Amino acid sequence: MSGSTVGAPRHWSAHLPGGGDPEEAFDLPAPGTLVGAWTAALAPEPDRPLLLDVGAGPDAWTTRGEFLDRTAGVATRLHAAGLRSGDRVLVSGPSSVDLAVAHVACLRLGLVVVPTNGSYREAELAHVVADCTPRAALVDHDGWVDLLRDLDGDLLVAPTALDGLPGADAREVGDERSALDTASPDAPAVIGYTSGTTGRPKGAVLTQANLLAGAEAVRVAWRWSDADRLVLCLPLFHMHGLGVGLHGTLLAGASAVLQDSFDPDAVLGDLGDHDATLFFGVPTMYHRLADHPDVSALGRLRLCVAGSAPLSADLHRRLAGATGAAVLERYGMTETVMLASNPYDAERRPGSVGIPLPGVDVRLAPDGGEILVRGPNVFAGYWGRPAAIEEAFVDDPDGGAPWFRTGDLGTVDDDGYLTIVGRAKELIISGGFNVYPREVDDALGLHPAVAEVAVAGVPSEEWGEEVVAWVVLADGHDCLAVDELRDFAREHLATYKLPRRVVAVDALPRNALGKVTRHELRLPD
Ligand code: MLC
Ligand code: AMP
């Protein structure tokens, strides 16, 4: 296979302080595990503030020392409850210090965290549970208790209640402490559910080393230091909030103010109240911030990062005009953590996702320009689906490591900047959340007024893309209101997947094989 290689080390060098040495390798911190690197970063100066629940008051900081103690304590309690390295654990709840403790305690014990969106409905949750067979669930959504009834009741605990779990008796404490932080670099650490290019959500298995590589690359590239403070309002069940926001904060020995939802007033207020230096958001958040009268407050930060969906060049320029600073756009995926970023010190180019991050190789497939990636950040495989890995990777023509197919289409310019120009995969990204059209088709198709349905994304200034449903009405029905369809589908789908418009059509466009051609679905004039 030929194809343009974007990611030669000379390109990484633009991410390194002072331009770096183009030939220099990118080394991960010893001992090569996320938990090892965190404990090394957080052990010195135990009284320094680390995490704050914004609702808990300005002085309620959890310090580094408290965080290490709490996570060790919870890990030993989980061990005493019978959990062992390799067991899968669902973790879900509003962003909070308790949730961060639950996540990190699991990782310190070698458990495999399955971060789960709290707005999942029964079928969505049931799929994840059946697929990864968790032994425990550290979740605090009332409605889920019944759905998780097959788990041992002692292992179904809200993140807020973990400190109250029974401890080990004194004889066992030594054993349990010695189970801490012993995971190997290639041990699975997180399973992130994503549909990848097709089909029902698959669990992407990320190892300790993958997650470390992902967080370390952005730590270096964004000059993230212990002097930084992040306002973190992204959910902690996706790579953006979890693999970058939380993991990067801990790795840098920095600090973060956690907000459990996105509110432009709260974000802009907290930046000043807490001397923040960093903000990370999806484009929908920036779109709302750009309309706020105090948007200029973003300009006082050291760095604003956008990702998870395209940040339009227009919005990039609008924000630059309003704040005097250029938002830095980067590109990531569940399977790869982060893979490219605009450079901190060089040009941040509107409309481009920048250059490959340190350690990451990127190339474009010769036939069609699919973005291919490999590196220490790239996941280890899909949980329980050895065959899926065959489709997900392509061999290297020179006999090197195989390349992961992102399903995104790209171009690269002469300076090595990568631009995402489309998707080979069926995916709608709405407000930074991924929506898989087929899953939505299936749920909407259950409505009695629907004979046939196909959904697709249409451009939206606020959401990036909006879910729209094209419907062929069943006999005896002459209309179907969008609210009716949304209310019906709420039972089956998380709300961000629900259509925002319904278009009634006589027939769906299909190809010669009868398959719906979604790209031909058009809004009426
Ligand atoms: C909420 N709603 C959405 C939605 N989010 N609808 C479509 N798309 C979304 N993303 C629904 C609500 O349920 C509600 O429905 C209605 O829209 C209005 O809600 P809202 O109050 O305006 O929305 P809000 O709660 O403010 O949420 C918007 C948001 C949120 C942008 C803050 O969507 C969000 O946190 N997005 C971030 C997603 C993220 O972290 N992505 C990272 C993926 S990792 P109703 O019917 O109840 O009124 C990844 C890799 C990488 O992609 O590169 O990072
Ligand atoms: P997920 O599977 O949730 O991790 O979503 C990953 C997908 O988000 C990628 O394959 C891209 O399609 C998209 N994505 C992430 N960052 C960007 C970005 N900066 N610009 C465009 N698309 C992005």
Side-chain angles (χ1 to χ4, degrees):
M1 180 184 67
S2 61
S4 34
T5 295
V6 186
R10 65 193 170 84
H11 289 304
W12 309 344
S13 63
H15 283 302
L16 305 175
D21 170 357
E23 298 310 321
E24 203 176 307
F26 173 69
D27 292 323
L28 296 182
T33 62
L34 197 57
V35 290
W38 284 342
T39 46
L42 300 178
E45 302 181 76
D47 295 332
R48 284 183 67 161
L50 178 63
L51 297 176
L52 177 74
D53 278 330
V54 78
D59 302 320
W61 281 92
T62 296
T63 64
R64 292 175 172 189
E66 287 163 346
F67 189 75
L68 287 178
D69 284 351
R70 271 194 76 194
T71 51
V74 170
T76 56
R77 287 162 198 276
L78 294 173
H79 189 275
L83 292 175
R84 294 293 177 268
S85 156
D87 285 340
R88 275 81 57 212
V89 181
L90 295 190
V91 177
S92 181
S95 296
S96 66
V97 176
D98 288 332
L99 189 72
V101 166
H103 175 72
V104 172
C106 288
L107 294 185
R108 295 190 68 183
L109 190 57
L111 305 175
V112 186
V113 174
V114 185
T116 311
N117 186 336
S119 63
Y120 274 1
R121 313 299 296 167
E122 179 167 356
E124 295 159 317
L125 180 62
H127 171 71
V128 170
V129 169
D131 195 71
C132 71
T133 57
R135 279 204 61 211
L138 312 183
V139 304
D140 69 356
H141 309 295
D142 290 344
W144 284 14
V145 173
D146 202 36
L147 301 173
L148 297 169
R149 60 188 167 270
D150 289 342
L151 297 184
D152 174 349
D154 290 343
L155 295 174
L156 180 53
V157 191
T160 46
L162 286 170
D163 297 311
L165 279 178
D169 65 33
R171 195 169 35 84
E172 290 170 334
V173 161
D175 277 2
E176 279 157 1
R177 289 264 163 182
S178 67
L180 274 190
D181 306 326
T182 54
S184 65
D186 58 0
V190 162
I191 300 181
Y193 273 83
T194 167
S195 282
T197 45
T198 51
R200 301 216 59 187
K202 299 186 279 279
V205 180
L206 291 133
T207 64
Q208 289 271 344
N210 296 151
L211 294 167
L212 176 60
E216 176 66 1
V218 295
R219 188 193 68 74
V220 169
W222 301 343
R223 318 285 187 263
W224 205 339
S225 81
D226 63 358
D228 277 312
R229 178 159 295 168
L230 172 68
V231 167
L232 180 52
C233 60
L234 289 153
L236 295 183
F237 48 75
H238 278 312
M239 272 309 151
H240 200 162
L242 188 73
V244 183
L246 180 64
H247 292 183
T249 295
L250 301 177
L251 188 63
S255 56
V257 176
L258 303 179
Q259 300 180 337
D260 65 6
S261 62
F262 172 69
D263 171 4
D265 288 333
V267 167
L268 294 169
D270 280 349
L271 297 179
D273 293 352
H274 296 288
D275 300 323
T277 62
L278 301 173
F279 176 74
F280 301 164
V282 298
T284 300
M285 293 176 178
Y286 283 105
H287 175 83
R288 294 183 188 177
L289 288 166
D291 286 338
H292 195 284
D294 299 333
V295 61
S296 62
L298 288 177
R300 294 200 289 271
L301 297 178
R302 184 176 73 72
L303 179 65
C304 288
V305 178
S308 306
L311 182 75
S312 72
D314 262 8
L315 182 54
H316 191 287
R317 293 196 185 99
R318 228 176 110 203
L319 287 159
T323 67
V327 170
L328 182 153
E329 185 174 5
R330 95 300 176 276
Y331 164 42
M333 271 187 91
T334 304
E335 289 96 332
T336 66
V337 198
M338 295 297 110
L339 54 121
S341 169
N342 274 275
Y344 184 78
D345 282 328
E347 185 195 358
R348 301 176 191 173
R349 198 168 288 181
S352 163
V353 294
I355 49 188
L357 279 159
V360 183
D361 284 343
V362 173
R363 70 187 298 161
L364 300 181
D367 48 347
E370 183 171 2
I371 300 168
L372 307 176
V373 57
R374 69 180 180 191
N377 54 314
V378 175
F379 75 131
Y382 292 109
W383 181 259
R385 287 183 169 78
I389 210 79
E390 305 279 315
E391 286 168 34
F393 284 82
V394 288
D395 288 336
D396 181 63
D398 304 320
W403 297 84
F404 172 64
R405 304 175 55 181
T406 60
D408 295 310
L409 305 176
T411 57
V412 176
D413 68 13
D414 291 343
D415 302 326
Y417 279 69
L418 176 66
T419 299
I420 299 175
V421 294
R423 289 184 209 124
K425 55 192 172 190
E426 283 199 339
L427 172 66
I428 302 167
I429 305 184
S430 170
F433 282 131
N434 288 1
V435 181
Y436 305 101
R438 273 201 264 165
E439 184 188 16
V440 183
D441 294 349
D442 290 348
L444 302 185
L446 300 173
H447 190 284
V450 173
E452 289 178 57
V453 58
V455 303
V458 302
S460 150
E461 228 181 284
E462 179 176 11
W463 298 103
E465 290 175 287
E466 262 180 29
V467 179
V468 175
W470 279 261
V471 172
V472 178
L473 293 168
D475 287 347
H477 295 267
D478 54 13
C479 66
L480 177 56
V482 67
D483 286 343
E484 153 79 23
L485 192 57
R486 281 173 72 84
D487 286 343
F488 170 83
R490 256 173 225 284
E491 191 192 327
H492 308 286
L493 297 171
T495 42
Y496 65 88
K497 301 176 186 173
L498 301 175
R500 289 183 176 271
R501 278 189 261 180
V502 173
V503 180
V505 288
D506 294 333
L508 297 174
R510 291 182 188 274
N511 64 16
L513 300 172
K515 187 172 178 302
V516 173
T517 45
R518 283 185 213 274
H519 61 277
E520 290 183 312
L521 293 166
R522 298 267 182 276
L523 289 177
D525 293 332

